[in-house]
Amino acid sequence: MRGFIFDTNKCVACHACVVACSVENDLQAPYHWRDIDVYNEFSHPDLAVFNLSLACNHCEEAECMLVCPANAFYRDQDSGAVLVNQNLCIGCKYCTWACAYDAPEFNQELRIINKCNLCYSRVNGGDVPACANNCPTGALAFGEFNSLTQKDIAKGFPETSFKPAIRFVENRSARKPETHLSPISNSIQHINFLNEPNRKVHLKNEWTLLLFSLMLPLLTAGLTGILAGYLFVNPFLFGLIATASLLVSALHLGKPFRAVYAMRNIRTSWLSREIFSYGLFYSSALTYLIIFPRFQYLGILAIVFGLICLFVVDRVYKYFEDGSGIRINSSWVFFTGLLWISLILQEPLPLFFVIFLKLSLYLFRKIKLWSGLKIQQKIYSFFRIIALLTAPLLYALDVALIELFYPLFIGEVIDRLEFYSENYIKSPSRQVYEEVIADLGLASNQYES
Amino acid sequence: MKLISTACPRNCYSTCSFKVAVDKGKIINFEPHPDNRATPEGICLKGLSYKERVYSKDRILYPMEKNRAGIFKRISWNSALKQITEKLEYYRKTAGPQSVLFYESSGMSGLLNEISLKFWELYGGATTSYGNLCWPAGLEASRLSLGANRHNVPWDLENARLIIMWGKNSVETNIQESIPLEKALEKGARLVVIDPRRTPTADKSHLLIQPRPGTDGALALGIAKILIDTGHIDNEFISNHVYGFEEFRNSLSSWSVSKVEKITGIPSPYIQKLASWIGEIQPMTILPGYGMQRYTNGGQTIRCLLSLQVITGNIGKPGACWHYANLQSYVFDKLLEPLSYYPSLSKNTPFRRSISKAKLGIDMLAQRDPELKMAWVERGNPLSQNPDTNTIIKAFRKLEFIVVVDQFMTDTAREASIILPAKTMFEQSDLIGSYWNPYVQLRQKLIEPPGEVKPETEIYRLLAKGLNFSESIIDTHFPDSNDKAIELWLKTKLKVYPDLNYDKLKEGPQMAPNLQEIAFEDYKFDTPSGKIELYSSHAVELWKVDPLPDYIETEENIQENDSKELFYFLTPNTKNRIHSQFGNLDVIKQFDPDPVLDIHPEEAQKRNIKNGEVVRVFNSRGELRIKVRYQLGLRRRCVFTANGWWISEGGGTNLLSAPRETDMGYGTAFHDNLVKIEKIV
Ligand code: SF4
Ligand code: SF4
Ligand code: SF4
């Protein structure tokens, strides 16, 4: 096996590797494929300071390749480099979520993903990559691995199942200098000197996904209502909303006109499956409603596709973490789908079961993260909880079940908004940040902004 | 595609060799040059940013003239040269040649630079500047003690068992020194860093001593006292090679650990620990940085530090050296630094009038008979780099005509009447030395100058013609800028050293002739006594300082009872720039977009200043507005921002610094600089 070999003892965060890469690959600032992460950047006296220089690890089980819906990733057999086919990439940025090493980079001008290519033509010509070639201190090298002296994980390096092709030279112990400055006073503990790294998910970038994930449960439940005869909707209006949802999610792509490529990887990509299952739902639902409204089995089939799609959507978000420790989220669209379906079928038992489930998940998360929340967040949470609680209350007061839709809907919107604004995705800078917090013995939420 | 060897001519320790891939007259890529034993692995990010620097959209490629509205407009070379010659003739006739200031600095090294001075000499003279912004106090201190500025070859550092980076942040300012440093550490050497900041170099260290700025001399004297008292000195070495030891010992009688603790702010156990390491671990190399000697007590401070190297006998051996500056590769200089920085003494030479680099602004304004009318600036950016910017601006604006030769629109270029485009290191060949590695190197021409750029040699040749210098003078002193003529000129220089062959230099670095790999291994010291002088009567004669290393407080200092408002303003260099160069390039800006002020969060909190907030940094000389960054490794009562930011980029640390000379060597004491920090309301 061969790949990058990195020696933390030697790296001085000089950024020469980053620039050497940019020169070799003609990258214009601010784009760069290699990045330096500094552990304890602000020099807390209790901790050492060290650096990691990371780019793509050209993983043996490359997650990016598995999850790319367009199957745009491929491996150069000779060098082992994981590469992106620029003509296939649809710019969905899903690989930037999947890669815990932050290697794929979305280029705003080209509207597609670019990433470290291992300088494969150099490597195939018997040379080493430009970054390793130019590291002034010899910290970054490229070559065959030696399991005796090298380790496959280093402090600050996210652990994954991807089998990254990188090895580390162990850090000498006791790297922290002994010094005499008076210790940091306790009052400083509460100052936000830790800057939270980029979460990778931002509501302002993901609003199209937000809309889609609000619409899909409604559409599935709506179809159920129509089929069961509780709801009367002009089939063309339904078609319009379903089409709009599709178009909105295509807007999320860097290359919307390549949207059909998104179904090139149903075999391993949840995103591909999402689009595929939505396609099945969409076409069966519209065929049923508009062409064969009498053919009820087609309607049932469409609902099944809708449910499958709901399930798949939640899988797409499997990289999201909120720090609460559980990986089931109260805003999962599958639950929301069930909520609306029971509501439209006016079935109190399943309805209150779903409400109870959502409420417990929500409360569990909020209690865990409460102290780190900003005041507005706390107010929103309060409304969300009220929304879930009023439903059984109003029901007890004999309000028609269907009327509960309004408070519940507001609650669902809040929860989903939170989903996109409170979650983050693993990355080296996140890992370094969390390890610093852990090493300082502090609860993470004490430091969050 | 061709790979051509060259070397970096910046004012930087490393002076890396590297190879450049050139294709169809364009720079494509860079490769390390393993033949340079000091820089075998690769160049730094600044070196790699040359590709942008050469082809930058912001580069000045044509002569430019400032119009009445203050806007620069492209003009032809003919018109630029005509205007300049007319002015030169006019000022020479009406006010005399001394009314023209010729100002140069360390922007690009090379032997061809001497042609500039030749031109001004033949013009009839000019007002020049003496001294240096960088390192002369330390050079002079070392010269007075050892007779020369020399140190062991860089790779010898791996032989040291005790390494003291005293005010040097080599990890950022001399990246390639990390190689032997790391080798030494792997072999078990101890590293001590002495710095008010916890620098990236300190992060490699075992012991970090953070003294009050400017008190390093006191720390050294206190340690010398402990070493002598406990017998941890090399008596044999002292009796054979040291002059003035008895006097030195006697002068230390008033020193004690508690006195040192009080002055430096370092708790005594740490002073004791450092002393015992210095006393017990051999061989030791001290690497003093250039920051400490930019204080008013700078030269004497360096002499204090050097005394530790001397009394422990750590000179002239592998792993044992005083690692300040290594001028062994400056084989072509008739007069080595710091002597070349002295102002001319004789009254009748063309350069009889010389003004202080440290006090440029006030000196410019003070000149009479004749007053300064015109300035010519090349290889320098005095508006951002010399102390007391506000006075310099005033002095520049009082001039009638300013020519600036530069690659970019620096703060100084903005003041110009005419800007002439300057070459980059790839556009003309030249020979360079290094003050760290032991090589003579050929900086090779790789590409034709873009646009209408002309090398300075050509500019001067054209001006000489314009001023009607005789044919023979022009042919003797101003080589044609074609490659053949330049090569011939350089080859003539090389004739003195048969071992230095031009064709070999084209392949890579060549060891300087007569190099001592281990400096002073012959124990010959070019001092009046022939020994290492702890006691120096020359120091008294030249600089009116104590003949022995002594400690005096810096001019601006903070004592315990002083206002809690005051901070030491630390303005060292970072890896991202060489003084005011490089910071304007996108490739650097992506890592270092704006100036920041590091402050300890406790100090910030007292003033209710948040992380990232813009604050006012000021003193009687000027003010800056900078974004704060919390730094927990900084000594309290110190703030730090990097030197070299342009004023137009929101920086300009010298807006706050004072025009003062160091105690010796005509250096610049801009680190003697206290400021206040204020929240902007
Ligand atoms: S070039 Fe080497 S030392 Fe510099 S940041 Fe990269 S890996 Fe670290
Ligand atoms: S590091 Fe990331 S982008 Fe590179 S192969 Fe692994 S998963 Fe893919
Ligand atoms: S291998 Fe090549 S493309 Fe990848 S980070 Fe290094 S220089 Fe850049």
Side-chain angles (χ1 to χ4, degrees), chain A residues 4 17-18 20-22 24-25 27 33-34 54-56 58 115-120 122 129-132 140:
Chain A
F4 289 113
C17 48
V18 182
C21 170
S22 297
E24 171 83 22
N25 296 294
L27 309 180
W33 292 345
R34 182 165 278 284
L54 297 174
C56 173
H58 303 278
K115 65 177 273 301
C116 159
N117 57 26
L118 196 65
C119 295
Y120 68 96
R122 291 179 67 109
C131 51
L140 184 67

PDB file of all heavy atoms in Angstrom, chain A residues 4 17-18 20-22 24-25 27 33-34 54-56 58 115-120 122 129-132 140, ligand 3:
ATOM      1  N   PHE A   4      -0.030   9.022   1.292  1.00  0.00           N
ATOM      2  CA  PHE A   4       0.667  10.074   2.027  1.00  0.00           C
ATOM      3  C   PHE A   4       1.165   9.545   3.366  1.00  0.00           C
ATOM      4  O   PHE A   4       0.496   8.742   4.019  1.00  0.00           O
ATOM      5  CB  PHE A   4      -0.265  11.258   2.287  1.00  0.00           C
ATOM      6  CG  PHE A   4      -0.581  12.029   1.045  1.00  0.00           C
ATOM      7  CD1 PHE A   4      -1.859  12.045   0.526  1.00  0.00           C
ATOM      8  CD2 PHE A   4       0.426  12.723   0.389  1.00  0.00           C
ATOM      9  CE1 PHE A   4      -2.149  12.746  -0.627  1.00  0.00           C
ATOM     10  CE2 PHE A   4       0.148  13.427  -0.769  1.00  0.00           C
ATOM     11  CZ  PHE A   4      -1.142  13.438  -1.277  1.00  0.00           C
ATOM     12  N   CYS A  17       2.791  23.245   1.243  1.00  0.00           N
ATOM     13  CA  CYS A  17       2.159  22.129   0.526  1.00  0.00           C
ATOM     14  C   CYS A  17       0.876  22.598  -0.161  1.00  0.00           C
ATOM     15  O   CYS A  17       0.587  22.201  -1.288  1.00  0.00           O
ATOM     16  CB  CYS A  17       1.857  20.984   1.485  1.00  0.00           C
ATOM     17  SG  CYS A  17       1.030  21.495   3.004  1.00  0.00           S
ATOM     18  N   VAL A  18       0.135  23.446   0.535  1.00  0.00           N
ATOM     19  CA  VAL A  18      -1.132  23.940  -0.016  1.00  0.00           C
ATOM     20  C   VAL A  18      -0.861  24.729  -1.296  1.00  0.00           C
ATOM     21  O   VAL A  18      -1.524  24.542  -2.322  1.00  0.00           O
ATOM     22  CB  VAL A  18      -1.854  24.836   1.018  1.00  0.00           C
ATOM     23  CG1 VAL A  18      -3.188  25.296   0.468  1.00  0.00           C
ATOM     24  CG2 VAL A  18      -2.032  24.106   2.344  1.00  0.00           C
ATOM     25  N   ALA A  20       1.931  24.675  -3.129  1.00  0.00           N
ATOM     26  CA  ALA A  20       2.548  23.833  -4.162  1.00  0.00           C
ATOM     27  C   ALA A  20       1.459  23.117  -4.955  1.00  0.00           C
ATOM     28  O   ALA A  20       1.535  22.987  -6.178  1.00  0.00           O
ATOM     29  CB  ALA A  20       3.499  22.821  -3.528  1.00  0.00           C
ATOM     30  N   CYS A  21       0.445  22.669  -4.259  1.00  0.00           N
ATOM     31  CA  CYS A  21      -0.692  22.011  -4.920  1.00  0.00           C
ATOM     32  C   CYS A  21      -1.390  22.983  -5.854  1.00  0.00           C
ATOM     33  O   CYS A  21      -1.709  22.644  -6.996  1.00  0.00           O
ATOM     34  CB  CYS A  21      -1.658  21.490  -3.868  1.00  0.00           C
ATOM     35  SG  CYS A  21      -3.232  20.928  -4.535  1.00  0.00           S
ATOM     36  N   SER A  22      -1.609  24.198  -5.376  1.00  0.00           N
ATOM     37  CA  SER A  22      -2.324  25.168  -6.205  1.00  0.00           C
ATOM     38  C   SER A  22      -1.539  25.524  -7.457  1.00  0.00           C
ATOM     39  O   SER A  22      -2.120  25.723  -8.520  1.00  0.00           O
ATOM     40  CB  SER A  22      -2.625  26.432  -5.397  1.00  0.00           C
ATOM     41  OG  SER A  22      -3.483  26.126  -4.330  1.00  0.00           O
ATOM     42  N   GLU A  24       0.727  23.545  -8.950  1.00  0.00           N
ATOM     43  CA  GLU A  24       0.724  22.355  -9.813  1.00  0.00           C
ATOM     44  C   GLU A  24      -0.596  22.217 -10.561  1.00  0.00           C
ATOM     45  O   GLU A  24      -0.640  21.898 -11.731  1.00  0.00           O
ATOM     46  CB  GLU A  24       0.961  21.104  -8.948  1.00  0.00           C
ATOM     47  CG  GLU A  24       0.775  19.776  -9.672  1.00  0.00           C
ATOM     48  CD  GLU A  24       2.001  19.356 -10.459  1.00  0.00           C
ATOM     49  OE1 GLU A  24       3.096  19.849 -10.128  1.00  0.00           O
ATOM     50  OE2 GLU A  24       1.856  18.544 -11.396  1.00  0.00           O
ATOM     51  N   ASN A  25      -1.688  22.468  -9.841  1.00  0.00           N
ATOM     52  CA  ASN A  25      -3.005  22.203 -10.423  1.00  0.00           C
ATOM     53  C   ASN A  25      -3.727  23.460 -10.880  1.00  0.00           C
ATOM     54  O   ASN A  25      -4.921  23.408 -11.161  1.00  0.00           O
ATOM     55  CB  ASN A  25      -3.851  21.425  -9.418  1.00  0.00           C
ATOM     56  CG  ASN A  25      -3.259  20.050  -9.137  1.00  0.00           C
ATOM     57  OD1 ASN A  25      -3.217  19.214 -10.022  1.00  0.00           O
ATOM     58  ND2 ASN A  25      -2.762  19.845  -7.932  1.00  0.00           N
ATOM     59  N   LEU A  27      -4.826  26.154  -9.387  1.00  0.00           N
ATOM     60  CA  LEU A  27      -5.998  26.562  -8.616  1.00  0.00           C
ATOM     61  C   LEU A  27      -5.862  28.035  -8.266  1.00  0.00           C
ATOM     62  O   LEU A  27      -4.787  28.502  -7.913  1.00  0.00           O
ATOM     63  CB  LEU A  27      -6.095  25.758  -7.316  1.00  0.00           C
ATOM     64  CG  LEU A  27      -6.005  24.247  -7.464  1.00  0.00           C
ATOM     65  CD1 LEU A  27      -6.114  23.582  -6.090  1.00  0.00           C
ATOM     66  CD2 LEU A  27      -7.106  23.751  -8.378  1.00  0.00           C
ATOM     67  N   TRP A  33      -6.896  22.612  -2.454  1.00  0.00           N
ATOM     68  CA  TRP A  33      -7.319  21.227  -2.222  1.00  0.00           C
ATOM     69  C   TRP A  33      -6.732  20.633  -0.960  1.00  0.00           C
ATOM     70  O   TRP A  33      -7.198  19.645  -0.441  1.00  0.00           O
ATOM     71  CB  TRP A  33      -6.926  20.355  -3.423  1.00  0.00           C
ATOM     72  CG  TRP A  33      -7.712  20.690  -4.647  1.00  0.00           C
ATOM     73  CD1 TRP A  33      -8.857  21.436  -4.693  1.00  0.00           C
ATOM     74  CD2 TRP A  33      -7.424  20.305  -5.989  1.00  0.00           C
ATOM     75  NE1 TRP A  33      -9.305  21.528  -5.979  1.00  0.00           N
ATOM     76  CE2 TRP A  33      -8.448  20.844  -6.799  1.00  0.00           C
ATOM     77  CE3 TRP A  33      -6.415  19.554  -6.586  1.00  0.00           C
ATOM     78  CZ2 TRP A  33      -8.476  20.655  -8.176  1.00  0.00           C
ATOM     79  CZ3 TRP A  33      -6.440  19.362  -7.952  1.00  0.00           C
ATOM     80  CH2 TRP A  33      -7.460  19.910  -8.746  1.00  0.00           C
ATOM     81  N   ARG A  34      -5.627  21.212  -0.510  1.00  0.00           N
ATOM     82  CA  ARG A  34      -5.029  20.707   0.726  1.00  0.00           C
ATOM     83  C   ARG A  34      -5.311  21.747   1.794  1.00  0.00           C
ATOM     84  O   ARG A  34      -5.483  22.928   1.489  1.00  0.00           O
ATOM     85  CB  ARG A  34      -3.526  20.506   0.502  1.00  0.00           C
ATOM     86  CG  ARG A  34      -2.767  19.950   1.669  1.00  0.00           C
ATOM     87  CD  ARG A  34      -1.397  19.459   1.260  1.00  0.00           C
ATOM     88  NE  ARG A  34      -1.454  18.112   0.698  1.00  0.00           N
ATOM     89  CZ  ARG A  34      -1.603  17.013   1.432  1.00  0.00           C
ATOM     90  NH1 ARG A  34      -1.689  17.088   2.742  1.00  0.00           N
ATOM     91  NH2 ARG A  34      -1.643  15.827   0.864  1.00  0.00           N
ATOM     92  N   LEU A  54      -3.896  17.967   5.448  1.00  0.00           N
ATOM     93  CA  LEU A  54      -4.686  16.891   4.831  1.00  0.00           C
ATOM     94  C   LEU A  54      -5.266  17.317   3.489  1.00  0.00           C
ATOM     95  O   LEU A  54      -5.639  18.472   3.297  1.00  0.00           O
ATOM     96  CB  LEU A  54      -5.847  16.486   5.744  1.00  0.00           C
ATOM     97  CG  LEU A  54      -5.494  15.891   7.114  1.00  0.00           C
ATOM     98  CD1 LEU A  54      -6.755  15.679   7.926  1.00  0.00           C
ATOM     99  CD2 LEU A  54      -4.727  14.591   6.964  1.00  0.00           C
ATOM    100  N   ALA A  55      -5.327  16.357   2.587  1.00  0.00           N
ATOM    101  CA  ALA A  55      -6.070  16.537   1.343  1.00  0.00           C
ATOM    102  C   ALA A  55      -6.908  15.272   1.204  1.00  0.00           C
ATOM    103  O   ALA A  55      -7.298  14.688   2.208  1.00  0.00           O
ATOM    104  CB  ALA A  55      -5.118  16.728   0.175  1.00  0.00           C
ATOM    105  N   CYS A  56      -7.172  14.848   0.010  1.00  0.00           N
ATOM    106  CA  CYS A  56      -7.904  13.596  -0.164  1.00  0.00           C
ATOM    107  C   CYS A  56      -6.982  12.439   0.207  1.00  0.00           C
ATOM    108  O   CYS A  56      -5.794  12.449  -0.095  1.00  0.00           O
ATOM    109  CB  CYS A  56      -8.343  13.455  -1.617  1.00  0.00           C
ATOM    110  SG  CYS A  56      -9.082  11.866  -1.976  1.00  0.00           S
ATOM    111  N   HIS A  58      -7.579   9.351  -0.809  1.00  0.00           N
ATOM    112  CA  HIS A  58      -7.741   8.332  -1.840  1.00  0.00           C
ATOM    113  C   HIS A  58      -8.045   6.980  -1.206  1.00  0.00           C
ATOM    114  O   HIS A  58      -7.343   5.986  -1.417  1.00  0.00           O
ATOM    115  CB  HIS A  58      -6.517   8.333  -2.760  1.00  0.00           C
ATOM    116  CG  HIS A  58      -6.312   9.695  -3.366  1.00  0.00           C
ATOM    117  ND1 HIS A  58      -6.998  10.117  -4.473  1.00  0.00           N
ATOM    118  CD2 HIS A  58      -5.591  10.766  -2.939  1.00  0.00           C
ATOM    119  CE1 HIS A  58      -6.679  11.382  -4.726  1.00  0.00           C
ATOM    120  NE2 HIS A  58      -5.843  11.801  -3.805  1.00  0.00           N
ATOM    121  N   LYS A 115     -11.365  18.304  -6.620  1.00  0.00           N
ATOM    122  CA  LYS A 115     -10.651  17.782  -5.458  1.00  0.00           C
ATOM    123  C   LYS A 115      -9.247  17.340  -5.826  1.00  0.00           C
ATOM    124  O   LYS A 115      -8.913  17.249  -7.012  1.00  0.00           O
ATOM    125  CB  LYS A 115     -11.410  16.626  -4.805  1.00  0.00           C
ATOM    126  CG  LYS A 115     -11.544  15.396  -5.683  1.00  0.00           C
ATOM    127  CD  LYS A 115     -12.239  14.278  -4.955  1.00  0.00           C
ATOM    128  CE  LYS A 115     -11.281  13.426  -4.157  1.00  0.00           C
ATOM    129  NZ  LYS A 115     -10.246  12.800  -4.948  1.00  0.00           N
ATOM    130  N   CYS A 116      -8.476  17.078  -4.784  1.00  0.00           N
ATOM    131  CA  CYS A 116      -7.124  16.554  -4.942  1.00  0.00           C
ATOM    132  C   CYS A 116      -7.139  15.353  -5.868  1.00  0.00           C
ATOM    133  O   CYS A 116      -7.952  14.448  -5.710  1.00  0.00           O
ATOM    134  CB  CYS A 116      -6.609  16.149  -3.563  1.00  0.00           C
ATOM    135  SG  CYS A 116      -5.269  14.963  -3.584  1.00  0.00           S
ATOM    136  N   ASN A 117      -6.249  15.353  -6.852  1.00  0.00           N
ATOM    137  CA  ASN A 117      -6.213  14.241  -7.804  1.00  0.00           C
ATOM    138  C   ASN A 117      -4.979  13.376  -7.620  1.00  0.00           C
ATOM    139  O   ASN A 117      -4.595  12.628  -8.497  1.00  0.00           O
ATOM    140  CB  ASN A 117      -6.282  14.790  -9.230  1.00  0.00           C
ATOM    141  CG  ASN A 117      -5.158  15.763  -9.506  1.00  0.00           C
ATOM    142  OD1 ASN A 117      -4.093  15.676  -8.872  1.00  0.00           O
ATOM    143  ND2 ASN A 117      -5.364  16.682 -10.413  1.00  0.00           N
ATOM    144  N   LEU A 118      -4.349  13.520  -6.471  1.00  0.00           N
ATOM    145  CA  LEU A 118      -3.129  12.776  -6.127  1.00  0.00           C
ATOM    146  C   LEU A 118      -1.993  13.107  -7.099  1.00  0.00           C
ATOM    147  O   LEU A 118      -1.001  12.402  -7.169  1.00  0.00           O
ATOM    148  CB  LEU A 118      -3.392  11.257  -6.104  1.00  0.00           C
ATOM    149  CG  LEU A 118      -2.353  10.369  -5.423  1.00  0.00           C
ATOM    150  CD1 LEU A 118      -2.282  10.652  -3.938  1.00  0.00           C
ATOM    151  CD2 LEU A 118      -2.619   8.895  -5.657  1.00  0.00           C
ATOM    152  N   CYS A 119      -2.161  14.190  -7.838  1.00  0.00           N
ATOM    153  CA  CYS A 119      -1.194  14.494  -8.901  1.00  0.00           C
ATOM    154  C   CYS A 119      -0.909  13.208  -9.669  1.00  0.00           C
ATOM    155  O   CYS A 119       0.244  12.786  -9.817  1.00  0.00           O
ATOM    156  CB  CYS A 119       0.092  15.071  -8.321  1.00  0.00           C
ATOM    157  SG  CYS A 119      -0.119  16.650  -7.519  1.00  0.00           S
ATOM    158  N   TYR A 120      -1.973  12.551 -10.103  1.00  0.00           N
ATOM    159  CA  TYR A 120      -1.819  11.188 -10.608  1.00  0.00           C
ATOM    160  C   TYR A 120      -0.874  11.083 -11.787  1.00  0.00           C
ATOM    161  O   TYR A 120      -0.186  10.075 -11.955  1.00  0.00           O
ATOM    162  CB  TYR A 120      -3.184  10.565 -10.910  1.00  0.00           C
ATOM    163  CG  TYR A 120      -3.912  11.201 -12.064  1.00  0.00           C
ATOM    164  CD1 TYR A 120      -3.834  10.652 -13.331  1.00  0.00           C
ATOM    165  CD2 TYR A 120      -4.663  12.358 -11.868  1.00  0.00           C
ATOM    166  CE1 TYR A 120      -4.503  11.258 -14.392  1.00  0.00           C
ATOM    167  CE2 TYR A 120      -5.333  12.953 -12.927  1.00  0.00           C
ATOM    168  CZ  TYR A 120      -5.240  12.403 -14.186  1.00  0.00           C
ATOM    169  OH  TYR A 120      -5.885  12.996 -15.222  1.00  0.00           O
ATOM    170  N   ARG A 122       1.834  12.827 -12.214  1.00  0.00           N
ATOM    171  CA  ARG A 122       3.178  12.791 -11.613  1.00  0.00           C
ATOM    172  C   ARG A 122       3.441  11.405 -11.045  1.00  0.00           C
ATOM    173  O   ARG A 122       4.501  10.816 -11.267  1.00  0.00           O
ATOM    174  CB  ARG A 122       3.284  13.809 -10.463  1.00  0.00           C
ATOM    175  CG  ARG A 122       3.264  15.262 -10.868  1.00  0.00           C
ATOM    176  CD  ARG A 122       3.364  16.136  -9.617  1.00  0.00           C
ATOM    177  NE  ARG A 122       4.665  15.999  -8.972  1.00  0.00           N
ATOM    178  CZ  ARG A 122       5.591  16.947  -8.969  1.00  0.00           C
ATOM    179  NH1 ARG A 122       5.358  18.107  -9.535  1.00  0.00           N
ATOM    180  NH2 ARG A 122       6.745  16.742  -8.385  1.00  0.00           N
ATOM    181  N   PRO A 129       3.545  13.352  -5.427  1.00  0.00           N
ATOM    182  CA  PRO A 129       2.661  14.511  -5.614  1.00  0.00           C
ATOM    183  C   PRO A 129       3.371  15.822  -5.293  1.00  0.00           C
ATOM    184  O   PRO A 129       4.311  15.843  -4.495  1.00  0.00           O
ATOM    185  CB  PRO A 129       1.533  14.257  -4.617  1.00  0.00           C
ATOM    186  CG  PRO A 129       1.529  12.785  -4.405  1.00  0.00           C
ATOM    187  CD  PRO A 129       2.949  12.342  -4.543  1.00  0.00           C
ATOM    188  N   ALA A 130       2.899  16.899  -5.884  1.00  0.00           N
ATOM    189  CA  ALA A 130       3.563  18.199  -5.746  1.00  0.00           C
ATOM    190  C   ALA A 130       3.684  18.634  -4.287  1.00  0.00           C
ATOM    191  O   ALA A 130       4.706  19.172  -3.869  1.00  0.00           O
ATOM    192  CB  ALA A 130       2.809  19.253  -6.541  1.00  0.00           C
ATOM    193  N   CYS A 131       2.635  18.399  -3.507  1.00  0.00           N
ATOM    194  CA  CYS A 131       2.643  18.841  -2.109  1.00  0.00           C
ATOM    195  C   CYS A 131       3.752  18.148  -1.333  1.00  0.00           C
ATOM    196  O   CYS A 131       4.517  18.787  -0.616  1.00  0.00           O
ATOM    197  CB  CYS A 131       1.283  18.569  -1.468  1.00  0.00           C
ATOM    198  SG  CYS A 131       0.700  16.873  -1.700  1.00  0.00           S
ATOM    199  N   ALA A 132       3.834  16.816  -1.495  1.00  0.00           N
ATOM    200  CA  ALA A 132       4.849  16.050  -0.771  1.00  0.00           C
ATOM    201  C   ALA A 132       6.236  16.381  -1.302  1.00  0.00           C
ATOM    202  O   ALA A 132       7.218  16.402  -0.567  1.00  0.00           O
ATOM    203  CB  ALA A 132       4.578  14.561  -0.906  1.00  0.00           C
ATOM    204  N   LEU A 140       5.609  16.052   5.088  1.00  0.00           N
ATOM    205  CA  LEU A 140       4.646  15.374   4.221  1.00  0.00           C
ATOM    206  C   LEU A 140       5.409  14.591   3.169  1.00  0.00           C
ATOM    207  O   LEU A 140       6.206  15.162   2.430  1.00  0.00           O
ATOM    208  CB  LEU A 140       3.734  16.408   3.552  1.00  0.00           C
ATOM    209  CG  LEU A 140       2.613  15.854   2.686  1.00  0.00           C
ATOM    210  CD1 LEU A 140       1.587  15.118   3.528  1.00  0.00           C
ATOM    211  CD2 LEU A 140       1.932  16.974   1.913  1.00  0.00           C
TER     212      LEU A 140
HETATM  213  S1  SF4 C   3      -1.634  15.153  -4.237  1.00  0.00           S
HETATM  214 FE1  SF4 C   3      -1.517  16.785  -5.736  1.00  0.00          FE
HETATM  215  S2  SF4 C   3      -3.635  17.404  -5.955  1.00  0.00           S
HETATM  216 FE2  SF4 C   3      -3.526  16.285  -4.034  1.00  0.00          FE
HETATM  217  S3  SF4 C   3      -3.136  17.781  -2.432  1.00  0.00           S
HETATM  218 FE3  SF4 C   3      -1.177  17.026  -3.095  1.00  0.00          FE
HETATM  219  S4  SF4 C   3      -0.541  18.469  -4.663  1.00  0.00           S
HETATM  220 FE4  SF4 C   3      -2.726  18.734  -4.397  1.00  0.00          FE
END
